[in-house]
Amino acid sequence: MKALVIGSGGREHTIAWKLAQSSKIEEVICVPGNGGTADEAKCKNMNGDAVEIAKNEKVDFAVVGPEDPLSEGIADKLWAAGIPTVGPKKQGAALEASKDLSKVFMEKYGVACAASKTFTDKKGALEYVKNHGAPIVVKADGLAAGKGVVVAKTVDEALKAVNDMMDGEFGDAGKKLVIEDYLQGVEISVLAAVSVTENSAKTNKACIKAFLPARDHKRLLDGAKGPNTGGMGAICPPQDVTEQTMDAFQKNILEPTLHGLIEEKMDYRGFIFFGLMLTKDGPKALEYNVRLGDPETQAVLPMMDFDFADLCLAITRETLSDFNLQWKKGFQVAPVAVSGGYPLKYPKGKEISVDSAKINENGAKVFVAGAVKNESNALVTSGGRVLACSAHGSSFDEAWKKAYSALEGIKFEGMFYRKDIGLPGAAESN
C-alpha cells in the first residue's frame, strides 16, 4: 500500500516513520515533509497540491497532520477524490478552529470542563474580567498556533491579554474571545483514535479509543518558567496518572464527546487530542485538538505495539471498535531541541550534526521538526522547534537517561533544550 502524510513537522515525521514500520506499507509520500522524512526508510517528500499528488500517486489512504488544512476542509476534498482520509472533515475540525464552538459542544453534551463566557466586544470582555477577578483564562477563539491562551494570575494581566488579542495580536483569531474559569491542577494530554460518520446513529459503529496518556511541557525554561512555546518535550505515560483518573476521563469526557459527535452527525474519522486538567474534582477538558499533539506524538507513537497502518485503515473503514490497542511496557521520554531565540526571533540555516552511534547506543530515535536538507544535502535548521530525541526505557529513569544521553550526540549553533522534561515540577501546575 501507499500512504500520504500531509504536514512538515515532528508529528508528521513520527507518523511517516510509524507507517513505514508496517509490512503493508510500500511507500509513504510526505507533502511537503522535512529533512527527517527525506531520509526515512520507505518515505519520499513531494511538493504541490496534496489532493492532486494523492490522485496521481494512487495512494491508498492519507493522514493529515496539522490543524490548519483540516479546518480548511482538506479531508472533505480527499474523500471527494476517492482517497480514504485519517482526519476529520471541516465540520468536525471546527472543534479546534473555534474555541467558542468547542465550549458550546462540551456544555451541550455534558463534557466535564471549566465554565466560560464568549465575547465579541472588547468593552464587555474587559468589564467581565474586572467583575470576575483573577486568576482567569483568556483564549483567542480561532487558531493561533497553540499560543492564543493566557492564564492570567492578575486582573491587569487578563486585561492586557484581552486588549492584545482583540487588537489583533493573533489576527482574526482574537476577534472573538473565550474567557474561562481558572482550574487548579496539573495538565495531561490524551490522544485518541475516532471513527464516527454521519450515519453512526444508525450503524452503531461509532467508536473512540484512547491512547496512553502523555504530558507536554509548554514553558521554555526548566521548572516550568519562561514564555509559552509549542512544546519543549513530552513523556508517555506520566507516572501520576492513575487508573481511577482514566476511568473518570472515560466516563465524564470521552463518552460524552463520542455521544456529541454522533448526535451532531459529524464525519469524524481521525484523531482527537484532549487537553485535560487533573483537578481535585477529577479531570476536566481544557480543549479539543482535532489531530495528534506535537510533541506528544513523538512520545506516544513509539509506545504503540501494533500496526499503525492497520489502525488508520480501521478508522477509515469504521472497524475501530474491533481494533485492539496494545502498548509496550515502560516509558518514553522525548525532549525537544530548539533554535536560539525561540519562541521569538531565531536564525535559520544552522547546520545540524548528528552522531548516529550515540543515538543508536541509546536506542533513541530523532524526529525532525524544523529542519530541511540544503543544496549540499546537509540537514539545517528551518524552524524554532528543530527536533525531538525520543527514547524508551523499562523505567522512567532509564528512558530519561537514554533520551538525554542521545541528545548529547546532536549539535547545532544556538541549540537549546530543557534539562528536566518529565521530572517533578517540570510541568506547569495551575
Side-chain angles (χ1 to χ4, degrees):
M1 298 183 93
K2 267 193 192 183
L4 182 88
V5 174
I6 296 172
S8 63
R11 163 184 48 222
E12 289 75 36
H13 183 186
T14 314
I15 290 168
W17 163 80
K18 197 66 183 170
L19 285 171
Q21 288 183 340
S22 169
S23 59
K24 292 185 173 64
I25 298 293
E26 174 197 338
E27 186 174 46
V28 181
I29 297 160
C30 304
V31 182
N34 62 31
T37 54
D39 283 341
E40 196 61 60
K42 297 189 188 175
C43 296
K44 76 170 178 186
N45 292 350
M46 291 184 77
N47 282 304
D49 179 86
V51 180
E52 287 307 309
I53 291 170
K55 288 194 291 191
N56 294 340
E57 293 288 324
K58 298 185 170 54
V59 303
D60 295 279
F61 65 94
V63 183
V64 187
E67 62 275 21
D68 285 340
L70 288 168
S71 70
E72 288 157 14
I74 186 82
D76 307 63
K77 291 173 190 164
L78 284 161
W79 277 106
I83 313 291
T85 301
V86 181
K89 288 185 176 175
K90 193 171 183 176
Q91 183 196 2
L95 286 172
E96 179 171 0
S98 169
K99 298 271 193 317
D100 175 47
L101 185 143
S102 75
K103 291 299 292 198
V104 169
F105 177 93
M106 287 179 195
E107 281 157 21
K108 183 175 178 181
Y109 294 105
V111 175
C113 63
S116 70
K117 279 200 179 306
T118 299
F119 296 90
T120 50
D121 67 303
K122 189 159 73 165
K123 191 180 169 194
L126 293 169
E127 206 57 43
Y128 179 77
V129 166
K130 286 175 193 166
N131 292 333
H132 184 285
I136 194 167
V137 182
V138 182
K139 296 181 173 181
D141 174 62
L143 296 174
K147 298 183 181 76
V149 178
V150 171
V151 180
K153 300 285 166 68
T154 66
V155 169
D156 284 347
E157 241 182 285
L159 296 174
K160 182 181 184 308
V162 169
N163 280 312
D164 288 349
M165 289 184 196
M166 289 194 130
D167 289 345
E169 184 182 10
F170 302 114
D172 288 346
K175 283 188 172 171
K176 185 189 282 187
L177 295 186
V178 174
I179 302 182
E180 244 178 31
D181 284 1
Y182 169 89
L183 295 175
Q184 186 85 30
V186 64
E187 283 187 48
I188 63 164
S189 312
V190 179
L191 315 180
V194 185
S195 189
V196 176
T197 68
E198 299 99 320
N199 301 315
S200 285
K202 294 174 191 161
T203 63
N204 220 19
K205 289 180 178 175
C207 184
I208 295 186
K209 290 202 170 180
F211 298 164
L212 291 178
R215 177 169 285 132
D216 181 14
H217 297 66
K218 285 282 185 202
R219 297 284 182 173
L220 180 69
L221 306 173
D222 285 9
K225 301 284 193 289
N228 252 332
T229 71
M232 294 297 294
I235 59 165
C236 176
Q239 296 177 89
D240 57 336
V241 179
T242 63
E243 207 173 305
Q244 189 182 5
T245 297
M246 293 308 288
D247 288 346
F249 160 72
Q250 180 91 18
K251 182 178 170 222
N252 301 323
I253 296 169
L254 192 80
E255 286 170 10
T257 298
L258 177 60
H259 175 63
L261 295 175
I262 297 165
E263 287 295 308
E264 297 291 327
K265 293 185 166 55
M266 290 189 184
D267 189 334
Y268 197 124
R269 283 174 277 180
F271 301 110
I272 195 163
F273 165 122
F274 297 89
L276 306 177
M277 185 69 78
L278 304 185
T279 75
K280 62 176 174 39
D281 302 318
K284 298 281 176 80
L286 296 173
E287 63 176 353
Y288 294 124
N289 290 164
V290 297
R291 32 73 190 184
L292 293 174
D294 189 340
E296 291 95 338
T297 299
Q298 293 88 306
V300 176
L301 266 59
M303 292 289 290
M304 291 178 169
D305 205 10
F306 54 83
D307 188 313
F308 187 64
D310 280 345
L311 175 67
C312 292
L313 294 169
I315 288 168
T316 61
R317 293 170 179 173
E318 296 181 82
T319 56
L320 181 60
S321 56
D322 302 325
F323 192 87
N324 192 16
L325 300 180
Q326 298 272 3
W327 300 95
K328 291 175 187 170
K329 299 272 189 277
F331 298 85
Q332 199 81 19
V333 175
V336 169
V338 303
S339 297
Y342 175 80
L344 302 173
K345 283 190 175 173
Y346 49 84
K348 296 180 182 179
K350 301 295 181 186
E351 193 162 330
I352 303 165
S353 77
V354 179
D355 180 346
S356 299
K358 183 91 170 149
I359 309 294
N360 294 338
E361 77 184 30
N362 288 287
K365 175 68 185 174
V366 175
F367 295 117
V368 169
V372 294
K373 292 299 190 82
N374 67 8
E375 302 76 23
S376 318
N377 205 38
L379 191 64
V380 297
T381 65
S382 62
R385 289 190 297 158
V386 177
L387 54 86
C389 195
S390 187
H392 181 265
S394 54
S395 67
F396 173 80
D397 284 351
E398 185 191 354
W400 191 90
K401 282 171 184 158
K402 283 180 173 179
Y404 277 97
S405 174
L407 199 49
E408 287 170 11
I410 298 165
K411 293 187 171 46
F412 57 88
E413 189 187 323
M415 173 173 158
F416 174 80
Y417 56 90
R418 282 182 56 169
K419 315 292 191 296
D420 67 342
I421 297 302
L423 298 183
E428 195 173 3
S429 295
N430 279 330

